[in-house]
Amino acid sequence: MEFFERFAIPHPSPAIYASMVAIALTTIAVVVGLTYFKKWGYLWREWLTTVDHKKIGIMYMISALLMLFRGGADALMMRAQTAVPENTLLDAQHYNEIFTTHGVVMIIFMAMAFIIALMNFVIPLQIGARDVAFPRLNALSFWLYFMGAMLLNISFVIGGSPSSGWTSYFPLAGNELSPSVGTNYYMLALQISGLGTLITGINFIVTILKMRAPGMTLMKMPMFTWAGLITNVIIVFAFPVLTVALAMGTMDRLFATNFFTTTDGGMDMLWANLFWVWGHPEVYILILPAFGIYSEIIPTFARRNLYGYTTMVVSMVVISLLSFVVWVHHFFTMGQGALVNSIFSITTMAIAVPTGIKIFNWLFTMWKGKIQFTVPMLYSLGFIPIFTIGGVTGVMLGMASADYQYHNTMFLVAHFHLVIIPGVVFAMIAGLTYWWPKMFGFMLNERIGKWGFWFIAGGTVLAFFPMFISGLDGQARRMYTYSEGTGFGIWNMLSFVGAIGLAIGFALLVYNIYYSTRYASRDIGDDPWNARSLEWATHNPVPEYNFAITPQVNSSEAFWDAKKRGHKLFKAGYKDIHMPNNSGIPFIMSVFFFIFGFAFIFSMWITVIVSLIAILACMTYRSFEKDDGYHITAEELKKAESELRGAK
Amino acid sequence: MKLKWAILGALFTLTAVLTGCEPLTVLDPKGPQAQTQADVIWISIAIMAFIVITVFVMLVYILIKYRGSKQADSYEPPHIEGNKIVESIVVGIPIIIVAVLSIISVQSTYDVEAKPEGYGDKEPLVVYASSSDWKWHFSYPEQDIETVNYLYVPTDRPLEFKLYSYGPITSFWIPQLGGQKYAMSDMITTLHLAADVPGEFMGRNSNFSGEGFAENTFNVTAMPQQEFDDWVKEVKQTAKPLTEEKFDELLEPGHLGQLTFTGTHLGFMPPPKGHHEGHGAGGEDHSEHSSHESESSEHSEHDNNNNEHNHESDEAASHNE
């Protein structure tokens, strides 16, 4: 029995037991369902072993949506708990666990997955490639991410969730003050999924640099691809820092090293620095793809080309450079003195300049346009004002002297939610709606989509604007409760109402997916939005080989030019296409990673060693495996293409 | 369009509330540092409001003027590359704004990081503020008294807080007197504040520190120097001495009410040696021991029985583990 005691929850509650039952029931239902409908083979062949960037993108997307609801449930509970003073819905420990997992899940497992989902699906199509440069690594990236996410998500039913904030500052996150395995989960789950992200970064840099269609020079790439390139460069530079920090933190917790302890020469501030050296670029890893998405959607629905292409690219490059020299603004209050704070204050505010350029360029893109208010466009238009407010409050936070008053308050919480939600979440829903026909061959319902937009936009404003006020009134963040005398009650109640609005909006999104899957017309052609960039030059949904004939590109809007200016995209005839084979290795290896992580968390060293050997065996097997892929012959291609045409 | 109006409305409400009858804590300063910060906040709000309104006006104008339903079906929007002049303006104005804000930011940061001006040659009152889970200990070496969870300070005299922690990183914050600073266990940080008017203020740890974080607050009372001196005298007469055993007891995780002691823990458990930002560097061990009752002892730079103290602190440290 002693062996099993370690898996017990340190602070059990009825809600957690209910979740356990729910998880068990869902798992049983899935297994029974797959068996009953004889779908195991389908699942294995079509999804678990796939190396197709489009399917991997879709799997990322589904996972991201699941995580959105996990993190959203946390958020609702937080807002419900703080809606009235001295509420007893949750106790301090549960509240701490919930805001910790809310942050981790939303940033690492929702937002990251969502941007990688869209990059996976869209970028190879936008550059006219067959797939990414390393399709198997891409599958490995996804499965590592997925296993990392699952690992963190089982923490609240096995062993206990992390509860020292998503920033996990030491010494609070050290063994002495966080004795439960929660922080081990944090360290290992982020490590495993971070590995996946790093591999994605390398994969996409190579893909974008080496696999563009003939004629597509760097300055003729669609803006989303540009954003993807810069994002992945940031990933490759920033994520190793997280890897190192997590490894050090893991060693502190499990092997009694003293990197971040406050005794024996350790330094707690080192964690904070390493965390934010990764953490701040991470913010731009999330926001740049979103900028890319808006740069695709706004020209499409303003019916005009993107204004100031070159400045858009330059501003993203400048942002990416600045993103590495501002991390200290996350702890101006650490006491490093006026000089250091002044320098980081200036670099922080400097980011407003390239960001401002982008906002104005989007506005100028609509100038003399013919604006259509579709759902993706509504999100893009809602993004501009809300993000501007989120952004300028960021500049206010960047002023070090004033930050001493904003730091650790709800003002800060309001700021970063008003940047991340319109920046990332709006962009993801916009991108999802925009590229949905590309993925599935039908469109999401516009009417339900618009309702969803108004709930989400209104909910965002209502949920986060009051926090500016309560923050300036002295409400610190991460407080599970407050007394009535503080006067914070009204603002928190408003936030709660806003949170409900957001929840309704997201529920409408899911309903829209269900509704459209059942009822939407499948007869939409290949270009339902009258779009401009290359991904729309192939069929909806995209055949596995992407383009039957490699396109010839003349500008960043090759497809538009083909439609309007007589540019000829497909000059050559059909040729054999070389395709990669599916492989189960990435999935199997990631399962071993999951076992490895789980065993590591609970210090079960024999299992750790065995799973490590299994991981190495997978890699060895792969090294000696001879797999030349297969070919789709010109004949087959011709047949497939004429069928696709006939279907229209 | 509804959204734009909603946001504009929200913005006006925000401004109305910010300037309204009941001022928000941070914007209701009671000392020079908080005043500087409130000024910076107001200036930045004004400049930011200008930017936000510019963007909103442009957005609304463009959306109304170029909406598709208004255009003729045959209208084909033109192809427009960038324009050097327009883009220079779009880059130039933000650069000017950021430059102005940078100057304000740097200047005010130096201001709030220094001893507040305008108090003649008055020496600052030094208070060692240390946090333990989940309370604050305030040691007055000059007065040789110590309080828990409440702070009395004289008005019109600079205050110099020496911050450190017996546990996680905390942040010492009295919004109406000035911004916060971290307290950490391996070094001392210094926070300069001052109170200009008597009154009671909210103080708290604002940095998440675990289960008892929400209640980790303290009361601050500012009073004229005379009253402060009277209070010190009264404490000396009525309060019990702070012993090492008692202090160890106080450090146990949990919540406590307001407590008062004569003597400080600085003698038997000196603050960490490391210092951030040179000011006041070097051990400021206090020579007076807990049970002594001497009044008005200047806190001496050096200590003749340093060895003994170190010995005792080692003991205390091992006791703690």
Side-chain angles (χ1 to χ4, degrees):
Chain A
M1 265 332 268
E2 209 177 305
F3 175 78
F4 291 101
E5 268 167 28
R6 69 181 84 190
F7 301 122
I9 299 287
H11 307 277
S13 79
I16 288 177
Y17 291 127
S19 315
M20 285 181 188
V21 174
I23 289 173
L25 288 179
T26 316
T27 313
I28 292 167
V30 169
V31 171
V32 169
L34 284 171
T35 313
Y36 183 79
F37 292 106
K38 298 195 173 63
K39 288 290 186 189
W40 283 106
Y42 164 79
L43 188 68
W44 177 258
R45 279 190 313 274
E46 297 292 319
W47 297 98
L48 300 188
T49 61
T50 187
V51 294
D52 182 344
H53 72 97
K54 298 179 287 295
K55 285 184 177 168
I56 291 173
I58 288 167
M59 288 195 290
Y60 263 117
M61 196 189 76
I62 294 168
S63 317
L65 281 173
L66 287 176
M67 291 297 115
L68 176 73
F69 285 95
R70 163 71 213 272
D74 287 344
L76 269 182
M77 283 194 273
M78 281 156 67
R79 293 323 324 158
Q81 162 65 20
T82 51
V84 290
E86 282 154 60
N87 199 356
T88 51
L89 183 68
L90 299 170
D91 62 21
Q93 178 62 27
H94 279 130
Y95 188 80
N96 297 347
E97 289 177 7
I98 283 167
F99 76 68
T100 301
T101 49
H102 170 73
V104 176
V105 165
M106 285 302 202
I107 297 283
I108 308 276
F109 300 126
M110 188 281 283
M112 283 302 284
F114 228 136
I115 64 152
I116 295 175
L118 291 177
M119 289 199 299
N120 250 299
F121 192 89
V122 177
I123 286 179
L125 294 173
Q126 279 201 332
I127 63 174
R130 298 259 174 259
D131 205 317
V132 293
F134 310 111
R136 275 202 193 181
L137 273 187
N138 199 20
L140 182 65
S141 283
F142 170 73
W143 288 113
L144 285 177
Y145 148 76
F146 185 79
M147 294 303 167
M150 289 305 113
L151 202 53
L152 190 93
N153 274 283
I154 60 166
S155 68
F156 81 112
V157 285
I158 306 175
S161 289
S163 61
S164 44
W166 88 280
T167 48
S168 205
Y169 272 17
F170 283 81
L172 183 61
N175 274 333
E176 209 174 314
L177 296 169
S178 297
S180 95
V181 293
T183 308
N184 296 353
Y185 268 111
Y186 173 94
M187 297 285 163
L188 268 299
L190 264 62
Q191 188 71 284
I192 291 172
S193 71
L195 214 55
T197 310
L198 187 56
I199 296 172
T200 299
I202 296 166
N203 208 342
F204 275 87
I205 293 176
V206 178
T207 305
I208 296 170
L209 291 181
K210 301 294 288 183
M211 298 178 68
R212 297 192 308 278
M216 186 183 279
T217 58
L218 282 177
M219 291 308 273
K220 285 178 183 166
M221 293 197 304
M223 198 50 66
F224 180 66
T225 301
W226 252 117
L229 176 63
I230 296 169
T231 303
N232 285 295
V233 171
I234 303 179
I235 286 178
V236 169
F237 279 93
F239 266 77
V241 182
L242 179 69
T243 307
V244 169
L246 291 170
M248 290 160 87
T250 310
M251 290 207 277
D252 264 16
R253 288 187 57 88
L254 291 168
F255 304 136
T257 54
N258 289 293
F259 292 111
F260 308 128
T261 57
T262 51
T263 50
D264 300 321
M267 194 174 251
D268 45 353
M269 298 184 310
L270 183 60
W271 168 268
N273 275 278
L274 288 174
F275 184 86
W276 287 114
V277 167
W278 161 78
H280 200 85
E282 164 69 15
V283 176
Y284 293 93
I285 292 170
L286 298 179
I287 203 81
L288 288 181
F291 287 173
I293 291 169
Y294 293 131
S295 300
E296 298 292 335
I297 290 173
I298 293 176
T300 300
F301 297 108
R303 305 271 165 243
R304 252 208 52 201
N305 63 314
L306 185 67
Y307 184 88
Y309 179 94
T310 316
T311 42
M312 285 302 224
V313 174
V314 173
S315 64
M316 281 200 288
V317 173
V318 173
I319 289 174
S320 72
L321 295 175
L322 284 174
S323 74
F324 281 93
V325 292
V326 298
W327 81 91
V328 170
H329 73 214
H330 294 276
F331 42 84
F332 276 144
T333 53
M334 204 176 257
Q336 56 271 42
L339 177 64
V340 174
N341 281 354
S342 297
I343 292 168
F344 281 92
S345 173
I346 294 169
T347 54
T348 301
M349 289 191 282
I351 291 189
V353 177
T355 314
I357 295 168
K358 301 189 83 69
I359 298 270
F360 285 110
N361 279 358
W362 287 315
L363 289 174
F364 294 143
T365 299
M366 294 187 285
W367 185 263
K368 297 199 171 168
K370 194 175 178 181
I371 300 165
Q372 281 180 306
F373 297 95
T374 58
V375 171
M377 189 63 164
L378 277 180
Y379 279 104
S380 312
L381 295 175
F383 152 80
I384 291 176
I386 301 177
F387 183 82
T388 302
I389 289 172
V392 295
T393 50
V395 176
M396 291 168 69
L397 281 155
M399 303 182 76
S401 55
D403 179 72
Y404 299 167
Q405 293 281 31
Y406 304 132
H407 187 62
N408 273 330
T409 68
M410 297 307 279
F411 191 94
L412 172 71
V413 177
H415 154 69
F416 68 71
H417 280 95
L418 288 174
V419 202
I420 292 181
I421 292 183
V424 184
V425 180
F426 282 23
M428 295 313 139
I429 304 174
L432 181 73
T433 316
Y434 181 63
W435 282 302
W436 187 271
K438 221 49 282 130
M439 296 178 186
F440 302 107
F442 61 92
M443 307 193 46
L444 290 176
N445 185 287
E446 279 281 300
R447 208 179 130 78
I448 304 173
K450 282 178 185 170
W451 274 102
F453 165 75
W454 287 110
F455 271 104
I456 288 175
T460 305
V461 169
L462 189 57
F464 298 105
F465 271 56
M467 293 182 189
F468 284 128
I469 297 167
S470 63
L472 284 178
D473 207 13
Q475 186 183 359
R477 67 194 287 212
R478 296 173 168 177
M479 291 199 305
Y480 85 102
T481 192
Y482 51 89
S483 68
E484 200 169 348
T486 54
F488 303 149
I490 174 71
W491 309 119
N492 286 279
M493 180 50 92
L494 286 175
S495 285
F496 178 55
V497 175
I500 291 173
L502 275 164
I504 296 172
F506 289 120
L508 282 171
L509 176 69
V510 173
Y511 176 68
N512 196 357
I513 291 173
Y514 162 80
Y515 179 89
S516 307
T517 308
R518 282 198 70 168
Y519 303 112
S521 160
R522 262 58 178 175
D523 185 24
I524 54 163
D526 289 342
D527 183 22
W529 300 116
N530 193 9
R532 311 173 80 86
S533 49
L534 197 57
E535 73 271 25
W536 297 98
T538 183
H539 307 285
N540 287 338
V542 186
E544 59 169 334
Y545 47 81
N546 291 358
F547 294 91
I549 301 165
T550 305
Q552 291 282 331
V553 176
N554 66 324
S555 79
S556 63
E557 300 188 319
F559 183 55
W560 187 256
D561 290 346
K563 284 192 289 189
K564 301 284 172 175
R565 299 184 188 176
H567 169 70
K568 206 159 167 13
L569 271 175
F570 304 108
K571 287 181 181 148
Y574 295 126
K575 284 189 197 130
D576 288 3
I577 295 175
H578 183 206
M579 297 293 290
N581 279 327
N582 284 358
S583 166
I585 294 285
F587 176 73
I588 294 168
M589 196 166 140
S590 303
V591 170
F592 286 124
F593 258 106
F594 180 87
I595 298 168
F596 169 80
F598 185 80
F600 213 113
I601 287 162
F602 289 96
S603 312
M604 303 188 293
W605 302 118
I606 295 169
T607 320
V608 167
I609 292 165
V610 171
S611 51
L612 197 59
I613 291 170
I615 292 168
L616 290 172
C618 288
M619 292 163 84
T620 314
Y621 175 79
R622 172 66 183 115
S623 304
F624 291 99
E625 188 189 7
K626 201 161 160 50
D627 178 4
D628 293 330
Y630 67 99
H631 284 82
I632 301 173
T633 62
E635 283 299 302
E636 289 168 325
L637 205 55
K638 204 169 167 184
K639 203 169 150 233
E641 282 291 300
S642 62
E643 268 170 25
L644 282 167
R645 295 243 175 71
K648 265 190 279 180
Chain B
M1 224 54 50
K2 275 180 223 153
L3 176 69
K4 316 291 144 11
W5 291 119
I7 293 167
L8 274 180
L11 196 73
F12 287 131
T13 323
L14 180 78
T15 331
V17 171
L18 291 180
T19 51
C21 40
E22 199 145 312
L24 299 174
T25 314
V26 167
L27 300 174
D28 183 22
K30 301 293 183 200
Q33 311 292 60
Q35 184 65 55
T36 308
Q37 283 155 332
D39 292 345
V40 171
I41 292 171
W42 277 118
I43 294 169
S44 59
I45 287 179
I47 297 175
M48 294 308 140
F50 164 74
I51 297 170
V52 169
I53 289 168
T54 310
V55 170
F56 278 32
V57 167
M58 282 178 70
L59 180 66
V60 170
Y61 175 79
I62 289 171
L63 289 186
I64 291 173
K65 179 131 195 238
Y66 298 108
R67 65 183 194 273
S69 55
K70 225 183 99 184
Q71 247 81 302
D73 280 349
S74 59
Y75 174 66
E76 191 71 27
H79 182 92
I80 308 172
E81 295 287 333
N83 176 313
K84 287 252 154 52
I85 298 166
V86 174
E87 287 177 63
S88 310
I89 295 169
V90 167
V91 179
I93 292 177
I95 286 182
I96 294 169
I97 293 174
V98 166
V100 171
L101 289 174
S102 297
I103 293 166
I104 299 171
S105 173
V106 171
Q107 224 163 34
S108 57
T109 304
Y110 272 91
D111 283 350
V112 297
E113 286 283 358
K115 194 178 100 178
E117 295 289 330
Y119 297 96
D121 52 358
K122 278 187 197 161
E123 276 297 302
L125 172 74
V126 177
V127 180
Y128 283 72
S130 52
S131 67
S132 66
D133 277 346
W134 292 277
K135 46 207 156 327
W136 284 94
H137 311 266
F138 300 105
S139 319
Y140 298 74
E142 190 183 318
Q143 286 73 19
D144 197 32
I145 56 174
E146 179 154 330
T147 62
V148 176
N149 285 342
Y150 80 100
L151 181 65
Y152 276 20
V153 291
T155 51
D156 294 319
R157 180 179 174 186
L159 307 170
E160 186 176 320
F161 290 94
K162 299 285 185 193
L163 311 172
Y164 54 100
S165 163
Y166 290 100
I169 300 174
T170 52
S171 194
F172 176 87
W173 189 34
I174 310 170
Q176 287 184 286
L177 297 190
Q180 61 199 284
K181 193 164 276 186
Y182 284 177
M184 290 166 288
S185 63
D186 43 3
M187 68 187 62
I188 288 185
T189 47
T190 305
L191 180 63
H192 297 277
L193 299 176
D196 282 343
V197 273
E200 284 197 36
F201 314 121
M202 183 272 284
R204 67 166 298 120
N205 161 31
S206 64
N207 197 56
F208 176 62
S209 61
E211 206 175 338
F213 163 69
E215 297 91 353
N216 196 358
T217 56
F218 56 92
N219 288 324
V220 184
T221 312
M223 59 193 77
Q225 183 74 44
Q226 188 55 47
E227 272 179 51
F228 178 75
D229 292 339
D230 291 346
W231 169 70
V232 172
K233 234 178 251 169
E234 194 195 313
V235 168
K236 299 238 168 205
Q237 281 157 10
T238 55
K240 283 188 184 147
L242 179 64
T243 61
E244 205 170 334
E245 293 73 40
K246 182 69 189 169
F247 189 65
D248 285 339
E249 209 176 286
L250 297 181
L251 288 181
E252 291 293 315
H255 293 288
L256 292 172
Q258 302 190 342
L259 301 171
T260 317
F261 300 96
T262 58
T264 70
H265 71 266
L266 301 172
F268 53 81
M269 204 184 267
K273 289 277 185 251
H275 279 250
H276 244 166
E277 39 156 16
H279 190 91
E284 266 184 298
D285 284 356
H286 188 58
S287 57
E288 298 307 320
H289 221 283
S290 48
S291 51
H292 288 226
E293 284 233 354
S294 84
E295 248 188 66
S296 85
S297 56
E298 292 292 322
H299 62 288
S300 55
E301 282 295 313
H302 273 284
D303 196 349
N304 43 14
N305 41 3
N306 226 342
N307 291 336
E308 190 196 335
H309 288 166
N310 282 345
H311 174 68
E312 278 182 292
S313 71
D314 286 346
E315 258 181 21
S318 58
H319 176 83
N320 247 4
E321 274 168 15

